[in-house]
Amino acid sequence: MQTDLHNEMRQIIDNSLVGEASPEQQQALRKHLLECAACQKYASDSRRAIVSLNGFSFAADPGLTEKVHAALALRAQQLQTTRPNRKRILQISLAALLLTIVGSFAALQVNGALAAALHLPLVQAQAGLVTLWIAPSWCFALLLPALLLVSARSANRKGQII
């Protein structure tokens, strides 16, 4: 139980050093640090580590920096060329709509033979065809442009970050 308390206090110390401890946690920590030498040492060591990291710096090789910038620019260009534009989205959407129309008429033509083969009334077979094939196809064909536009906008937003 005591170990759990120390682990909890160490977590609060860590949070406190990065400014994420609540006022209640900080008050409990101050009270605990008055009584616990092990946690006092942990807090002291943690503060020293943070202070020493603040003084740490390094110089990047200018050639490496240029390579990173060039790689980022190349990747941004690749993303831009693979992104579907509005003209391409319109072409895909029209193709999906055309295939849906053709498929719906073909399914309606086959429906009579299917009803006869399954010994179903024609009205019942048509209802099943509309429910299971034609309506979902039309929903997909009509939603496809919206999905492609949302996807393209999302890609554009992500591309602007680069």
Side-chain angles (χ1 to χ4, degrees):
M1 171 114 176
Q2 190 70 351
T3 315
D4 292 339
L5 176 64
H6 292 296
N7 287 337
E8 183 180 334
M9 287 300 141
R10 287 181 177 161
Q11 184 67 39
I12 294 172
I13 290 168
D14 294 342
N15 289 341
S16 177
L17 290 172
V18 294
E20 294 180 356
S22 69
E24 295 84 15
Q25 289 176 325
Q26 290 177 352
Q27 184 178 2
L29 177 61
R30 281 191 294 272
K31 183 179 176 183
H32 180 75
L33 287 177
L34 292 173
E35 303 168 355
C36 181
C39 288
Q40 286 174 5
K41 181 173 178 358
Y42 181 83
S44 175
D45 291 345
S46 297
R47 277 190 216 99
R48 275 188 275 141
I50 296 289
V51 168
S52 67
L53 287 174
N54 285 338
F56 181 72
S57 66
F58 61 94
D61 177 25
L64 178 63
T65 304
E66 289 175 19
K67 286 180 184 178
V68 169
H69 286 291
L72 288 173
L74 178 64
R75 182 64 180 142
Q77 185 180 14
Q78 289 172 343
L79 288 173
Q80 188 67 32
T81 58
T82 60
R83 207 174 283 146
N85 59 18
R86 290 187 186 270
K87 183 179 178 183
R88 183 74 177 143
I89 290 172
L90 181 63
Q91 291 171 343
I92 292 170
S93 300
L94 288 175
L97 188 60
L98 178 65
L99 288 173
T100 300
I101 291 169
V102 170
S104 296
F105 281 121
L108 286 173
Q109 297 301 318
V110 175
N111 189 43
L114 183 64
L118 296 175
H119 306 292
L120 293 173
L122 184 61
V123 174
Q124 201 174 26
Q126 285 175 339
L129 178 69
V130 167
T131 302
L132 299 175
W133 180 262
I134 295 175
S137 298
W138 278 94
C139 288
F140 176 75
L142 295 175
L143 283 176
L144 184 64
L147 294 172
L148 291 173
L149 286 172
V150 167
S151 174
R153 280 195 187 125
S154 174
N156 282 339
R157 284 191 191 120
K158 288 178 183 175
Q160 290 172 352
I161 293 173
I162 294 177

PDB file of all heavy atoms in Angstrom, residues 59-98:
ATOM      1  N   ALA A  59      23.739  21.507 -32.652  1.00  0.00           N
ATOM      2  CA  ALA A  59      23.671  22.165 -33.957  1.00  0.00           C
ATOM      3  C   ALA A  59      23.382  21.106 -35.013  1.00  0.00           C
ATOM      4  O   ALA A  59      23.990  20.043 -35.025  1.00  0.00           O
ATOM      5  CB  ALA A  59      24.985  22.869 -34.258  1.00  0.00           C
ATOM      6  N   ALA A  60      22.440  21.397 -35.869  1.00  0.00           N
ATOM      7  CA  ALA A  60      22.110  20.473 -36.947  1.00  0.00           C
ATOM      8  C   ALA A  60      22.990  20.772 -38.146  1.00  0.00           C
ATOM      9  O   ALA A  60      23.300  21.931 -38.434  1.00  0.00           O
ATOM     10  CB  ALA A  60      20.646  20.613 -37.320  1.00  0.00           C
ATOM     11  N   ASP A  61      23.385  19.746 -38.819  1.00  0.00           N
ATOM     12  CA  ASP A  61      24.179  19.876 -40.027  1.00  0.00           C
ATOM     13  C   ASP A  61      23.325  20.583 -41.085  1.00  0.00           C
ATOM     14  O   ASP A  61      22.205  20.146 -41.376  1.00  0.00           O
ATOM     15  CB  ASP A  61      24.587  18.485 -40.503  1.00  0.00           C
ATOM     16  CG  ASP A  61      25.354  18.509 -41.802  1.00  0.00           C
ATOM     17  OD1 ASP A  61      25.985  19.543 -42.111  1.00  0.00           O
ATOM     18  OD2 ASP A  61      25.337  17.481 -42.513  1.00  0.00           O
ATOM     19  N   PRO A  62      23.800  21.667 -41.686  1.00  0.00           N
ATOM     20  CA  PRO A  62      22.997  22.386 -42.699  1.00  0.00           C
ATOM     21  C   PRO A  62      22.598  21.482 -43.868  1.00  0.00           C
ATOM     22  O   PRO A  62      21.515  21.614 -44.409  1.00  0.00           O
ATOM     23  CB  PRO A  62      23.918  23.516 -43.165  1.00  0.00           C
ATOM     24  CG  PRO A  62      24.901  23.692 -42.072  1.00  0.00           C
ATOM     25  CD  PRO A  62      25.059  22.349 -41.416  1.00  0.00           C
ATOM     26  N   GLY A  63      23.455  20.572 -44.224  1.00  0.00           N
ATOM     27  CA  GLY A  63      23.127  19.651 -45.308  1.00  0.00           C
ATOM     28  C   GLY A  63      21.959  18.749 -44.943  1.00  0.00           C
ATOM     29  O   GLY A  63      21.091  18.470 -45.765  1.00  0.00           O
ATOM     30  N   LEU A  64      21.934  18.312 -43.693  1.00  0.00           N
ATOM     31  CA  LEU A  64      20.835  17.470 -43.226  1.00  0.00           C
ATOM     32  C   LEU A  64      19.526  18.248 -43.226  1.00  0.00           C
ATOM     33  O   LEU A  64      18.484  17.735 -43.643  1.00  0.00           O
ATOM     34  CB  LEU A  64      21.135  16.933 -41.820  1.00  0.00           C
ATOM     35  CG  LEU A  64      20.059  16.087 -41.177  1.00  0.00           C
ATOM     36  CD1 LEU A  64      19.824  14.807 -41.977  1.00  0.00           C
ATOM     37  CD2 LEU A  64      20.442  15.745 -39.752  1.00  0.00           C
ATOM     38  N   THR A  65      19.593  19.485 -42.791  1.00  0.00           N
ATOM     39  CA  THR A  65      18.397  20.329 -42.781  1.00  0.00           C
ATOM     40  C   THR A  65      17.854  20.503 -44.193  1.00  0.00           C
ATOM     41  O   THR A  65      16.643  20.402 -44.418  1.00  0.00           O
ATOM     42  CB  THR A  65      18.725  21.710 -42.161  1.00  0.00           C
ATOM     43  OG1 THR A  65      19.266  21.506 -40.858  1.00  0.00           O
ATOM     44  CG2 THR A  65      17.495  22.580 -42.068  1.00  0.00           C
ATOM     45  N   GLU A  66      18.731  20.738 -45.142  1.00  0.00           N
ATOM     46  CA  GLU A  66      18.304  20.880 -46.537  1.00  0.00           C
ATOM     47  C   GLU A  66      17.685  19.587 -47.060  1.00  0.00           C
ATOM     48  O   GLU A  66      16.690  19.618 -47.785  1.00  0.00           O
ATOM     49  CB  GLU A  66      19.484  21.295 -47.408  1.00  0.00           C
ATOM     50  CG  GLU A  66      19.937  22.723 -47.176  1.00  0.00           C
ATOM     51  CD  GLU A  66      21.185  23.068 -47.977  1.00  0.00           C
ATOM     52  OE1 GLU A  66      21.482  22.358 -48.967  1.00  0.00           O
ATOM     53  OE2 GLU A  66      21.852  24.044 -47.605  1.00  0.00           O
ATOM     54  N   LYS A  67      18.261  18.453 -46.699  1.00  0.00           N
ATOM     55  CA  LYS A  67      17.718  17.162 -47.138  1.00  0.00           C
ATOM     56  C   LYS A  67      16.317  16.936 -46.565  1.00  0.00           C
ATOM     57  O   LYS A  67      15.420  16.447 -47.259  1.00  0.00           O
ATOM     58  CB  LYS A  67      18.639  16.017 -46.713  1.00  0.00           C
ATOM     59  CG  LYS A  67      19.910  15.921 -47.512  1.00  0.00           C
ATOM     60  CD  LYS A  67      20.775  14.772 -47.032  1.00  0.00           C
ATOM     61  CE  LYS A  67      22.096  14.720 -47.744  1.00  0.00           C
ATOM     62  NZ  LYS A  67      22.964  13.643 -47.253  1.00  0.00           N
ATOM     63  N   VAL A  68      16.138  17.289 -45.313  1.00  0.00           N
ATOM     64  CA  VAL A  68      14.818  17.124 -44.682  1.00  0.00           C
ATOM     65  C   VAL A  68      13.792  18.009 -45.373  1.00  0.00           C
ATOM     66  O   VAL A  68      12.688  17.572 -45.703  1.00  0.00           O
ATOM     67  CB  VAL A  68      14.890  17.422 -43.166  1.00  0.00           C
ATOM     68  CG1 VAL A  68      13.508  17.528 -42.562  1.00  0.00           C
ATOM     69  CG2 VAL A  68      15.710  16.361 -42.456  1.00  0.00           C
ATOM     70  N   HIS A  69      14.153  19.270 -45.623  1.00  0.00           N
ATOM     71  CA  HIS A  69      13.232  20.178 -46.313  1.00  0.00           C
ATOM     72  C   HIS A  69      12.916  19.681 -47.721  1.00  0.00           C
ATOM     73  O   HIS A  69      11.768  19.754 -48.175  1.00  0.00           O
ATOM     74  CB  HIS A  69      13.800  21.591 -46.362  1.00  0.00           C
ATOM     75  CG  HIS A  69      13.736  22.309 -45.054  1.00  0.00           C
ATOM     76  ND1 HIS A  69      12.553  22.724 -44.485  1.00  0.00           N
ATOM     77  CD2 HIS A  69      14.711  22.670 -44.186  1.00  0.00           C
ATOM     78  CE1 HIS A  69      12.794  23.310 -43.337  1.00  0.00           C
ATOM     79  NE2 HIS A  69      14.095  23.283 -43.123  1.00  0.00           N
ATOM     80  N   ALA A  70      13.910  19.172 -48.419  1.00  0.00           N
ATOM     81  CA  ALA A  70      13.690  18.651 -49.773  1.00  0.00           C
ATOM     82  C   ALA A  70      12.776  17.427 -49.741  1.00  0.00           C
ATOM     83  O   ALA A  70      11.885  17.289 -50.579  1.00  0.00           O
ATOM     84  CB  ALA A  70      15.021  18.307 -50.427  1.00  0.00           C
ATOM     85  N   ALA A  71      12.991  16.554 -48.764  1.00  0.00           N
ATOM     86  CA  ALA A  71      12.149  15.361 -48.645  1.00  0.00           C
ATOM     87  C   ALA A  71      10.708  15.749 -48.315  1.00  0.00           C
ATOM     88  O   ALA A  71       9.763  15.162 -48.857  1.00  0.00           O
ATOM     89  CB  ALA A  71      12.705  14.427 -47.566  1.00  0.00           C
ATOM     90  N   LEU A  72      10.524  16.726 -47.446  1.00  0.00           N
ATOM     91  CA  LEU A  72       9.181  17.188 -47.122  1.00  0.00           C
ATOM     92  C   LEU A  72       8.499  17.820 -48.333  1.00  0.00           C
ATOM     93  O   LEU A  72       7.309  17.589 -48.581  1.00  0.00           O
ATOM     94  CB  LEU A  72       9.219  18.180 -45.952  1.00  0.00           C
ATOM     95  CG  LEU A  72       9.520  17.593 -44.586  1.00  0.00           C
ATOM     96  CD1 LEU A  72       9.686  18.699 -43.556  1.00  0.00           C
ATOM     97  CD2 LEU A  72       8.424  16.629 -44.159  1.00  0.00           C
ATOM     98  N   ALA A  73       9.225  18.613 -49.093  1.00  0.00           N
ATOM     99  CA  ALA A  73       8.660  19.236 -50.292  1.00  0.00           C
ATOM    100  C   ALA A  73       8.274  18.175 -51.320  1.00  0.00           C
ATOM    101  O   ALA A  73       7.207  18.267 -51.940  1.00  0.00           O
ATOM    102  CB  ALA A  73       9.656  20.220 -50.887  1.00  0.00           C
ATOM    103  N   LEU A  74       9.119  17.161 -51.488  1.00  0.00           N
ATOM    104  CA  LEU A  74       8.821  16.081 -52.428  1.00  0.00           C
ATOM    105  C   LEU A  74       7.569  15.321 -52.002  1.00  0.00           C
ATOM    106  O   LEU A  74       6.700  15.023 -52.822  1.00  0.00           O
ATOM    107  CB  LEU A  74      10.015  15.133 -52.536  1.00  0.00           C
ATOM    108  CG  LEU A  74       9.818  13.918 -53.449  1.00  0.00           C
ATOM    109  CD1 LEU A  74       9.609  14.365 -54.893  1.00  0.00           C
ATOM    110  CD2 LEU A  74      11.005  12.984 -53.340  1.00  0.00           C
ATOM    111  N   ARG A  75       7.473  15.024 -50.709  1.00  0.00           N
ATOM    112  CA  ARG A  75       6.295  14.297 -50.206  1.00  0.00           C
ATOM    113  C   ARG A  75       5.029  15.127 -50.375  1.00  0.00           C
ATOM    114  O   ARG A  75       3.979  14.606 -50.755  1.00  0.00           O
ATOM    115  CB  ARG A  75       6.491  13.919 -48.736  1.00  0.00           C
ATOM    116  CG  ARG A  75       5.364  13.129 -48.161  1.00  0.00           C
ATOM    117  CD  ARG A  75       5.228  11.781 -48.842  1.00  0.00           C
ATOM    118  NE  ARG A  75       4.117  11.060 -48.256  1.00  0.00           N
ATOM    119  CZ  ARG A  75       3.281  10.289 -48.939  1.00  0.00           C
ATOM    120  NH1 ARG A  75       3.481  10.092 -50.225  1.00  0.00           N
ATOM    121  NH2 ARG A  75       2.288   9.697 -48.342  1.00  0.00           N
ATOM    122  N   ALA A  76       5.106  16.425 -50.133  1.00  0.00           N
ATOM    123  CA  ALA A  76       3.945  17.304 -50.322  1.00  0.00           C
ATOM    124  C   ALA A  76       3.518  17.302 -51.786  1.00  0.00           C
ATOM    125  O   ALA A  76       2.327  17.265 -52.101  1.00  0.00           O
ATOM    126  CB  ALA A  76       4.274  18.713 -49.858  1.00  0.00           C
ATOM    127  N   GLN A  77       4.494  17.321 -52.695  1.00  0.00           N
ATOM    128  CA  GLN A  77       4.189  17.287 -54.124  1.00  0.00           C
ATOM    129  C   GLN A  77       3.545  15.949 -54.508  1.00  0.00           C
ATOM    130  O   GLN A  77       2.600  15.914 -55.285  1.00  0.00           O
ATOM    131  CB  GLN A  77       5.461  17.519 -54.931  1.00  0.00           C
ATOM    132  CG  GLN A  77       5.239  17.617 -56.415  1.00  0.00           C
ATOM    133  CD  GLN A  77       6.545  17.846 -57.169  1.00  0.00           C
ATOM    134  OE1 GLN A  77       7.628  17.683 -56.621  1.00  0.00           O
ATOM    135  NE2 GLN A  77       6.436  18.230 -58.430  1.00  0.00           N
ATOM    136  N   GLN A  78       4.053  14.850 -53.959  1.00  0.00           N
ATOM    137  CA  GLN A  78       3.460  13.538 -54.237  1.00  0.00           C
ATOM    138  C   GLN A  78       2.026  13.475 -53.751  1.00  0.00           C
ATOM    139  O   GLN A  78       1.151  12.955 -54.437  1.00  0.00           O
ATOM    140  CB  GLN A  78       4.282  12.437 -53.557  1.00  0.00           C
ATOM    141  CG  GLN A  78       5.618  12.196 -54.187  1.00  0.00           C
ATOM    142  CD  GLN A  78       6.478  11.238 -53.362  1.00  0.00           C
ATOM    143  OE1 GLN A  78       6.208  10.993 -52.192  1.00  0.00           O
ATOM    144  NE2 GLN A  78       7.531  10.724 -53.977  1.00  0.00           N
ATOM    145  N   LEU A  79       1.765  13.989 -52.563  1.00  0.00           N
ATOM    146  CA  LEU A  79       0.400  13.995 -52.034  1.00  0.00           C
ATOM    147  C   LEU A  79      -0.520  14.845 -52.902  1.00  0.00           C
ATOM    148  O   LEU A  79      -1.679  14.498 -53.113  1.00  0.00           O
ATOM    149  CB  LEU A  79       0.393  14.513 -50.595  1.00  0.00           C
ATOM    150  CG  LEU A  79       0.971  13.580 -49.539  1.00  0.00           C
ATOM    151  CD1 LEU A  79       1.051  14.280 -48.188  1.00  0.00           C
ATOM    152  CD2 LEU A  79       0.143  12.314 -49.421  1.00  0.00           C
ATOM    153  N   GLN A  80      -0.002  15.954 -53.404  1.00  0.00           N
ATOM    154  CA  GLN A  80      -0.800  16.846 -54.234  1.00  0.00           C
ATOM    155  C   GLN A  80      -1.193  16.163 -55.545  1.00  0.00           C
ATOM    156  O   GLN A  80      -2.312  16.309 -56.009  1.00  0.00           O
ATOM    157  CB  GLN A  80      -0.018  18.134 -54.517  1.00  0.00           C
ATOM    158  CG  GLN A  80      -0.830  19.210 -55.205  1.00  0.00           C
ATOM    159  CD  GLN A  80      -1.927  19.760 -54.322  1.00  0.00           C
ATOM    160  OE1 GLN A  80      -1.792  19.826 -53.128  1.00  0.00           O
ATOM    161  NE2 GLN A  80      -3.025  20.151 -54.938  1.00  0.00           N
ATOM    162  N   THR A  81      -0.277  15.412 -56.148  1.00  0.00           N
ATOM    163  CA  THR A  81      -0.567  14.778 -57.436  1.00  0.00           C
ATOM    164  C   THR A  81      -1.484  13.568 -57.289  1.00  0.00           C
ATOM    165  O   THR A  81      -2.213  13.247 -58.218  1.00  0.00           O
ATOM    166  CB  THR A  81       0.727  14.346 -58.148  1.00  0.00           C
ATOM    167  OG1 THR A  81       1.453  13.452 -57.316  1.00  0.00           O
ATOM    168  CG2 THR A  81       1.576  15.535 -58.498  1.00  0.00           C
ATOM    169  N   THR A  82      -1.472  12.897 -56.152  1.00  0.00           N
ATOM    170  CA  THR A  82      -2.327  11.722 -55.979  1.00  0.00           C
ATOM    171  C   THR A  82      -3.711  12.082 -55.464  1.00  0.00           C
ATOM    172  O   THR A  82      -4.601  11.239 -55.461  1.00  0.00           O
ATOM    173  CB  THR A  82      -1.695  10.719 -54.993  1.00  0.00           C
ATOM    174  OG1 THR A  82      -1.511  11.350 -53.730  1.00  0.00           O
ATOM    175  CG2 THR A  82      -0.381  10.201 -55.517  1.00  0.00           C
ATOM    176  N   ARG A  83      -3.904  13.320 -55.062  1.00  0.00           N
ATOM    177  CA  ARG A  83      -5.190  13.767 -54.533  1.00  0.00           C
ATOM    178  C   ARG A  83      -6.200  13.890 -55.666  1.00  0.00           C
ATOM    179  O   ARG A  83      -5.912  14.499 -56.692  1.00  0.00           O
ATOM    180  CB  ARG A  83      -4.972  15.126 -53.874  1.00  0.00           C
ATOM    181  CG  ARG A  83      -5.919  15.424 -52.790  1.00  0.00           C
ATOM    182  CD  ARG A  83      -5.543  16.712 -52.114  1.00  0.00           C
ATOM    183  NE  ARG A  83      -4.415  16.482 -51.241  1.00  0.00           N
ATOM    184  CZ  ARG A  83      -3.469  17.358 -51.006  1.00  0.00           C
ATOM    185  NH1 ARG A  83      -3.501  18.532 -51.564  1.00  0.00           N
ATOM    186  NH2 ARG A  83      -2.491  17.101 -50.189  1.00  0.00           N
ATOM    187  N   PRO A  84      -7.407  13.317 -55.501  1.00  0.00           N
ATOM    188  CA  PRO A  84      -8.394  13.447 -56.575  1.00  0.00           C
ATOM    189  C   PRO A  84      -8.920  14.889 -56.654  1.00  0.00           C
ATOM    190  O   PRO A  84      -9.245  15.483 -55.638  1.00  0.00           O
ATOM    191  CB  PRO A  84      -9.506  12.479 -56.164  1.00  0.00           C
ATOM    192  CG  PRO A  84      -9.360  12.318 -54.696  1.00  0.00           C
ATOM    193  CD  PRO A  84      -7.902  12.524 -54.394  1.00  0.00           C
ATOM    194  N   ASN A  85      -9.015  15.419 -57.863  1.00  0.00           N
ATOM    195  CA  ASN A  85      -9.565  16.762 -58.021  1.00  0.00           C
ATOM    196  C   ASN A  85     -11.054  16.662 -58.348  1.00  0.00           C
ATOM    197  O   ASN A  85     -11.590  15.579 -58.536  1.00  0.00           O
ATOM    198  CB  ASN A  85      -8.792  17.544 -59.087  1.00  0.00           C
ATOM    199  CG  ASN A  85      -8.827  16.862 -60.444  1.00  0.00           C
ATOM    200  OD1 ASN A  85      -9.670  16.009 -60.698  1.00  0.00           O
ATOM    201  ND2 ASN A  85      -7.910  17.232 -61.323  1.00  0.00           N
ATOM    202  N   ARG A  86     -11.715  17.795 -58.415  1.00  0.00           N
ATOM    203  CA  ARG A  86     -13.169  17.808 -58.628  1.00  0.00           C
ATOM    204  C   ARG A  86     -13.563  17.166 -59.965  1.00  0.00           C
ATOM    205  O   ARG A  86     -14.577  16.489 -60.055  1.00  0.00           O
ATOM    206  CB  ARG A  86     -13.707  19.224 -58.533  1.00  0.00           C
ATOM    207  CG  ARG A  86     -13.664  19.764 -57.127  1.00  0.00           C
ATOM    208  CD  ARG A  86     -14.376  21.106 -57.048  1.00  0.00           C
ATOM    209  NE  ARG A  86     -14.222  21.690 -55.744  1.00  0.00           N
ATOM    210  CZ  ARG A  86     -15.042  21.505 -54.731  1.00  0.00           C
ATOM    211  NH1 ARG A  86     -16.078  20.727 -54.872  1.00  0.00           N
ATOM    212  NH2 ARG A  86     -14.836  22.087 -53.576  1.00  0.00           N
ATOM    213  N   LYS A  87     -12.761  17.386 -61.000  1.00  0.00           N
ATOM    214  CA  LYS A  87     -13.079  16.803 -62.305  1.00  0.00           C
ATOM    215  C   LYS A  87     -13.043  15.278 -62.226  1.00  0.00           C
ATOM    216  O   LYS A  87     -13.929  14.592 -62.736  1.00  0.00           O
ATOM    217  CB  LYS A  87     -12.082  17.312 -63.351  1.00  0.00           C
ATOM    218  CG  LYS A  87     -12.362  16.815 -64.741  1.00  0.00           C
ATOM    219  CD  LYS A  87     -11.370  17.376 -65.739  1.00  0.00           C
ATOM    220  CE  LYS A  87     -11.627  16.822 -67.123  1.00  0.00           C
ATOM    221  NZ  LYS A  87     -10.648  17.301 -68.094  1.00  0.00           N
ATOM    222  N   ARG A  88     -12.036  14.743 -61.565  1.00  0.00           N
ATOM    223  CA  ARG A  88     -11.907  13.286 -61.421  1.00  0.00           C
ATOM    224  C   ARG A  88     -13.048  12.732 -60.561  1.00  0.00           C
ATOM    225  O   ARG A  88     -13.598  11.674 -60.859  1.00  0.00           O
ATOM    226  CB  ARG A  88     -10.546  12.959 -60.791  1.00  0.00           C
ATOM    227  CG  ARG A  88     -10.284  11.501 -60.659  1.00  0.00           C
ATOM    228  CD  ARG A  88      -9.955  10.885 -62.004  1.00  0.00           C
ATOM    229  NE  ARG A  88      -9.633   9.502 -61.799  1.00  0.00           N
ATOM    230  CZ  ARG A  88      -9.969   8.544 -62.631  1.00  0.00           C
ATOM    231  NH1 ARG A  88     -10.576   8.832 -63.749  1.00  0.00           N
ATOM    232  NH2 ARG A  88      -9.666   7.297 -62.367  1.00  0.00           N
ATOM    233  N   ILE A  89     -13.412  13.452 -59.512  1.00  0.00           N
ATOM    234  CA  ILE A  89     -14.527  13.025 -58.654  1.00  0.00           C
ATOM    235  C   ILE A  89     -15.819  12.988 -59.464  1.00  0.00           C
ATOM    236  O   ILE A  89     -16.614  12.050 -59.353  1.00  0.00           O
ATOM    237  CB  ILE A  89     -14.651  13.948 -57.430  1.00  0.00           C
ATOM    238  CG1 ILE A  89     -13.473  13.722 -56.488  1.00  0.00           C
ATOM    239  CG2 ILE A  89     -15.969  13.729 -56.698  1.00  0.00           C
ATOM    240  CD1 ILE A  89     -13.384  14.707 -55.341  1.00  0.00           C
ATOM    241  N   LEU A  90     -16.044  13.994 -60.313  1.00  0.00           N
ATOM    242  CA  LEU A  90     -17.233  14.030 -61.156  1.00  0.00           C
ATOM    243  C   LEU A  90     -17.248  12.853 -62.125  1.00  0.00           C
ATOM    244  O   LEU A  90     -18.286  12.199 -62.314  1.00  0.00           O
ATOM    245  CB  LEU A  90     -17.294  15.359 -61.918  1.00  0.00           C
ATOM    246  CG  LEU A  90     -18.497  15.547 -62.824  1.00  0.00           C
ATOM    247  CD1 LEU A  90     -19.790  15.551 -62.012  1.00  0.00           C
ATOM    248  CD2 LEU A  90     -18.367  16.834 -63.620  1.00  0.00           C
ATOM    249  N   GLN A  91     -16.099  12.544 -62.730  1.00  0.00           N
ATOM    250  CA  GLN A  91     -16.023  11.412 -63.651  1.00  0.00           C
ATOM    251  C   GLN A  91     -16.341  10.094 -62.948  1.00  0.00           C
ATOM    252  O   GLN A  91     -17.105   9.268 -63.461  1.00  0.00           O
ATOM    253  CB  GLN A  91     -14.631  11.333 -64.282  1.00  0.00           C
ATOM    254  CG  GLN A  91     -14.315  12.448 -65.240  1.00  0.00           C
ATOM    255  CD  GLN A  91     -12.855  12.450 -65.670  1.00  0.00           C
ATOM    256  OE1 GLN A  91     -12.006  11.823 -65.033  1.00  0.00           O
ATOM    257  NE2 GLN A  91     -12.547  13.168 -66.753  1.00  0.00           N
ATOM    258  N   ILE A  92     -15.773   9.893 -61.774  1.00  0.00           N
ATOM    259  CA  ILE A  92     -16.025   8.656 -61.013  1.00  0.00           C
ATOM    260  C   ILE A  92     -17.483   8.567 -60.619  1.00  0.00           C
ATOM    261  O   ILE A  92     -18.121   7.504 -60.730  1.00  0.00           O
ATOM    262  CB  ILE A  92     -15.109   8.602 -59.769  1.00  0.00           C
ATOM    263  CG1 ILE A  92     -13.643   8.433 -60.191  1.00  0.00           C
ATOM    264  CG2 ILE A  92     -15.529   7.478 -58.832  1.00  0.00           C
ATOM    265  CD1 ILE A  92     -12.648   8.610 -59.058  1.00  0.00           C
ATOM    266  N   SER A  93     -18.055   9.669 -60.183  1.00  0.00           N
ATOM    267  CA  SER A  93     -19.456   9.683 -59.758  1.00  0.00           C
ATOM    268  C   SER A  93     -20.396   9.394 -60.922  1.00  0.00           C
ATOM    269  O   SER A  93     -21.361   8.634 -60.777  1.00  0.00           O
ATOM    270  CB  SER A  93     -19.798  11.034 -59.134  1.00  0.00           C
ATOM    271  OG  SER A  93     -18.981  11.270 -58.017  1.00  0.00           O
ATOM    272  N   LEU A  94     -20.127   9.997 -62.080  1.00  0.00           N
ATOM    273  CA  LEU A  94     -20.960   9.726 -63.254  1.00  0.00           C
ATOM    274  C   LEU A  94     -20.846   8.269 -63.703  1.00  0.00           C
ATOM    275  O   LEU A  94     -21.843   7.652 -64.091  1.00  0.00           O
ATOM    276  CB  LEU A  94     -20.596  10.677 -64.392  1.00  0.00           C
ATOM    277  CG  LEU A  94     -21.031  12.132 -64.199  1.00  0.00           C
ATOM    278  CD1 LEU A  94     -20.508  13.002 -65.338  1.00  0.00           C
ATOM    279  CD2 LEU A  94     -22.536  12.239 -64.085  1.00  0.00           C
ATOM    280  N   ALA A  95     -19.636   7.715 -63.635  1.00  0.00           N
ATOM    281  CA  ALA A  95     -19.461   6.299 -63.991  1.00  0.00           C
ATOM    282  C   ALA A  95     -20.242   5.407 -63.028  1.00  0.00           C
ATOM    283  O   ALA A  95     -20.899   4.443 -63.454  1.00  0.00           O
ATOM    284  CB  ALA A  95     -17.983   5.939 -63.975  1.00  0.00           C
ATOM    285  N   ALA A  96     -20.201   5.714 -61.737  1.00  0.00           N
ATOM    286  CA  ALA A  96     -20.947   4.921 -60.756  1.00  0.00           C
ATOM    287  C   ALA A  96     -22.442   5.031 -61.010  1.00  0.00           C
ATOM    288  O   ALA A  96     -23.181   4.031 -60.932  1.00  0.00           O
ATOM    289  CB  ALA A  96     -20.607   5.380 -59.341  1.00  0.00           C
ATOM    290  N   LEU A  97     -22.926   6.223 -61.334  1.00  0.00           N
ATOM    291  CA  LEU A  97     -24.348   6.419 -61.601  1.00  0.00           C
ATOM    292  C   LEU A  97     -24.779   5.672 -62.860  1.00  0.00           C
ATOM    293  O   LEU A  97     -25.818   5.008 -62.878  1.00  0.00           O
ATOM    294  CB  LEU A  97     -24.639   7.919 -61.724  1.00  0.00           C
ATOM    295  CG  LEU A  97     -26.102   8.312 -61.815  1.00  0.00           C
ATOM    296  CD1 LEU A  97     -26.859   7.859 -60.572  1.00  0.00           C
ATOM    297  CD2 LEU A  97     -26.223   9.817 -61.982  1.00  0.00           C
ATOM    298  N   LEU A  98     -23.949   5.744 -63.898  1.00  0.00           N
ATOM    299  CA  LEU A  98     -24.256   5.038 -65.146  1.00  0.00           C
ATOM    300  C   LEU A  98     -24.292   3.524 -64.918  1.00  0.00           C
ATOM    301  O   LEU A  98     -25.218   2.839 -65.380  1.00  0.00           O
ATOM    302  CB  LEU A  98     -23.217   5.387 -66.217  1.00  0.00           C
ATOM    303  CG  LEU A  98     -23.391   4.692 -67.564  1.00  0.00           C
ATOM    304  CD1 LEU A  98     -24.682   5.141 -68.222  1.00  0.00           C
ATOM    305  CD2 LEU A  98     -22.207   4.978 -68.466  1.00  0.00           C
TER     306      LEU A  98
END
